[in-house]
Amino acid sequence: MFRRDPYLWLHLTSFAALPLWLWVAWLGVAAGRPILPVTVEIFLLVTVAVVPWVWLQWTRPFNPFGIWVAVLPPNQLSLAQRQWLTRIKGKFTGPLAVIMALPMVWLVGQIYGFAPLAQAVTPIPNHVLGFGLGAIALFLANGMVQVSASTAGLLLTGEAKFTATPDYPVAQIRQDFLNIGLPVQKLLPTITPEAAPEISPSPDPETMPETPEEVEAVSSPVDVEPPADDQGTETPEPAVTVEVLPPEGEENTADPQDDPA
């Protein structure tokens, strides 16, 4: 059930915005001519955009129950969400942040290597403004990478192991996690578990017919005789006598031959 939390998938899919932020950083560093040596500028960008996220994830990880401009207060978090925070605050988040920072440092160098290709198309007027914009874009890119990596680790956690994880104390969430945004009571809809479908009980195999004769006997209709009376004999139906009356206007005369002499 914890894998269906919408906040997990929100931060996991934010990794898809990485090419956009790298493209903005590429246009930024390509503006104008570098003021400092390229190696110095790369070192400054890594110091500003990459190192802070490694330090934060190691000491005060990002609270994933928010959308950068708003965050859920600690008293609104469910039990499973506080178990999330315990897993994120675990011993693997810091080393994971260092591992994810290595390819980001490499990408900063690649951006400077291909910067001359974007000098003719970048809309940024000067290098100072472009360098600042590139630093902001790389900072956001690193933040999305680090948060996505920490939430992706939860998908690899077994159900039994996650259930056994203790929930994080509510009173320590504000001081132990980075909460970005204004506190709100509700952000994303809560997904409730689906009700289990009703399963009809299977028939007892001992009472089921086995032979074709038994199946026919069970499926054939049974003639029900009407109940007999209390004496055990059938009651005869009463006889009906029909009397035929002569039509009106006719007299009942006797045959003269029948009259005695």
Side-chain angles (χ1 to χ4, degrees):
M1 176 59 191
F2 71 94
R3 293 187 179 92
R4 299 177 57 187
D5 195 295
Y7 293 95
L8 186 150
W9 294 102
L10 173 66
H11 294 292
L12 190 63
T13 55
S14 65
F15 187 81
L18 177 63
L20 174 63
W21 295 117
L22 294 179
W23 178 71
V24 173
W26 181 47
L27 294 179
V29 300
R33 296 181 62 85
I35 301 175
L36 301 174
V38 174
T39 54
V40 176
E41 290 194 356
I42 292 177
F43 175 79
L44 291 176
L45 283 179
V46 171
T47 304
V48 172
V50 181
V51 175
W53 280 107
V54 177
W55 178 78
L56 283 174
Q57 289 296 96
W58 200 298
T59 60
R60 195 183 178 193
F62 178 81
N63 184 359
F65 301 108
I67 52 174
W68 296 91
V69 295
V71 64
L72 291 177
N75 57 358
Q76 294 294 324
L77 301 180
S78 64
L79 174 62
Q81 290 172 339
R82 295 196 302 272
Q83 290 175 303
W84 262 46
L85 297 181
T86 302
R87 303 292 304 180
I88 293 176
K89 190 65 175 177
K91 59 183 179 180
F92 296 106
T93 302
L96 180 63
V98 175
I99 295 175
M100 297 305 299
L102 296 178
M104 295 305 298
V105 173
W106 177 80
L107 284 176
V108 173
Q110 295 300 310
I111 287 175
Y112 265 92
F114 290 96
L117 299 177
Q119 286 181 347
V121 296
T122 179
I124 304 173
N126 56 73
H127 189 73
V128 176
L129 181 60
F131 184 84
L133 183 62
I136 295 174
L138 286 174
F139 180 83
L140 295 176
N142 278 274
M144 291 185 175
V145 169
Q146 294 290 351
V147 175
S148 299
S150 62
T151 54
L154 293 176
L155 295 176
L156 304 178
T157 306
E159 188 75 28
K161 190 174 183 179
F162 183 84
T163 305
T165 303
D167 59 304
Y168 208 85
V170 177
Q172 300 180 11
I173 292 178
R174 290 189 182 276
Q175 61 185 10
D176 293 346
F177 291 89
L178 177 63
N179 300 275
I180 300 178
L182 299 175
V184 295
Q185 298 299 318
K186 186 176 181 181
L187 286 174
L188 300 179
T190 303
I191 299 178
T192 57
E194 298 179 356
E198 296 183 359
I199 302 176
S200 58
S202 58
D204 189 357
E206 295 181 358
T207 61
M208 295 180 61
E210 298 180 355
T211 61
E213 291 79 4
E214 295 178 354
V215 174
E216 184 178 359
V218 171
S219 60
S220 60
V222 179
D223 297 334
V224 180
E225 298 181 357
D229 56 3
D230 296 338
Q231 302 296 329
T233 58
E234 297 182 357
T235 303
E237 298 181 358
V240 180
T241 304
V242 180
E243 182 180 359
V244 181
L245 299 177
E248 295 182 359
E250 293 186 4
E251 296 181 356
N252 187 12
T253 58
D255 192 357
Q257 295 179 359
D258 296 336
D259 191 17

